[in-house]
Amino acid sequence: NAGVTQTPKFQVLKTGQSMTLQCAQDMNHEYMSWYRQDPGMGLRLIHYSVGAGITDQGEVPNGYNVSRSTTEDFPLRLLSAAPSQTSVYFCASSQSSGGHEQYFGPGTRLTVT
Amino acid sequence: GQQVMQIPQYQHVQEGEDFTTYCNSSTTLSNIQWYKQRPGGHPVFLIQLVKSGEVKKQKRLTFQFGEAKKNSSLHITATQTTDVGTYFCAGRILTGGGNKLTFGTGTQLKVEL
């Protein structure tokens, strides 16, 4: 099993550009989520999904879109990048939404200039 | 805003000293998880606590869940350089739409020889 994979590992965007961060898992997990990590802020939940076709907002959803057309994939789209979105982004998956450990991907380091 | 706080934010110890990080929630948690993130890495699951007053041990690590299920602690006995990293608690807060995992702000541990 590859676990949770994320691409790209690094990305530099200019303000206003759009892009999609890819996330995939091969563990047949129902629950997937996106976090951003900023110094001193811990991990903040952006969006999450409890299964294919179902998504919901987390703590900091503004400026991001998600979709879940398959169990395996959960892409995160930045519609119009802003410097405030400079961060490290982690995708995670778990067996379900309640009481199971989360497996994290290696992260994407995004810089918006 | 952030409902799960951790203290201290940083801790610098000599190898062999003990270390404790504390996690406090403003609301009652259904369970709490602990993760470790090595520098440059991604969070890795350590343990989950579910019951009020629960205590679990993993070698030199001792995890506690408070009686009111609003706080938790992680204690490392006789730290080693391999303990270096950031330790996060993550509390599961019941909401109307289901469970969400809220991460604490993390405690960064540095261990000097």
Side-chain angles (χ1 to χ4, degrees):
Chain A
N1 282 355
V4 181
T5 57
Q6 288 183 240
T7 56
K9 289 189 176 167
F10 301 94
Q11 183 71 50
V12 179
L13 290 178
K14 294 188 177 178
T15 297
Q17 286 184 317
S18 63
M19 79 159 295
T20 299
L21 307 185
Q22 301 292 343
C23 174
Q25 52 91 9
D26 62 358
M27 297 173 282
N28 202 32
H29 284 170
E30 290 297 320
Y31 185 85
M32 296 186 74
S33 53
W34 276 101
Y35 295 88
R36 59 176 290 172
Q37 184 173 31
D38 304 292
M41 302 291 289
L43 291 149
R44 291 183 292 170
L45 183 65
I46 304 172
H47 285 285
Y48 65 98
S49 168
V50 298
I54 306 168
T55 64
D56 206 348
Q57 296 181 348
E59 184 185 352
V60 288
N62 292 341
Y64 308 95
N65 273 0
V66 292
S67 60
R68 184 97 179 270
S69 56
T70 66
T71 299
E72 294 78 21
D73 300 297
F74 191 44
L76 178 72
R77 279 183 289 278
L78 281 70
L79 307 173
S80 177
S84 60
Q85 293 178 305
T86 293
S87 187
V88 180
Y89 291 85
F90 288 103
C91 177
S93 75
S94 64
Q95 192 173 336
S96 71
S97 61
H100 292 96
E101 66 178 281
Q102 292 205 77
Y103 294 82
F104 283 81
T108 295
R109 187 173 294 273
L110 175 68
T111 302
V112 183
T113 62
Chain B
Q2 198 95 31
Q3 294 177 299
V4 179
M5 302 301 295
Q6 267 183 268
I7 55 169
Q9 189 172 359
Y10 302 99
Q11 186 79 54
H12 205 161
V13 300
Q14 297 286 325
E15 190 177 42
E17 291 182 336
D18 291 356
F19 159 76
T20 304
T21 173
Y22 300 91
C23 181
N24 295 290
S25 170
S26 56
T27 58
T28 303
L29 304 170
S30 60
N31 57 52
I32 194 158
Q33 298 176 346
W34 284 91
Y35 291 79
K36 177 183 178 181
Q37 183 178 25
R38 295 183 187 274
H42 58 275
V44 175
F45 176 82
L46 293 176
I47 209 161
Q48 176 170 274
L49 305 170
V50 178
K51 299 177 184 175
S52 169
E54 190 170 12
V55 178
K56 287 188 176 180
K57 293 191 176 184
Q58 286 180 351
K59 298 181 181 178
R60 295 178 293 104
L61 278 62
T62 301
F63 304 84
Q64 292 189 332
F65 200 9
E67 294 290 340
K69 300 182 76 172
K70 286 187 172 183
N71 55 70
S72 181
S73 65
L74 158 60
H75 179 82
I76 302 178
T77 303
T79 55
Q80 300 175 358
T81 54
T82 53
D83 296 324
V84 164
T86 301
Y87 292 85
F88 292 98
C89 64
R92 197 163 296 277
I93 299 170
L94 286 171
T95 64
N99 294 338
K100 290 184 183 179
L101 197 64
T102 299
F103 277 79
T105 45
T107 296
Q108 186 177 346
L109 173 64
K110 293 189 177 179
V111 181
E112 263 190 5
L113 288 171

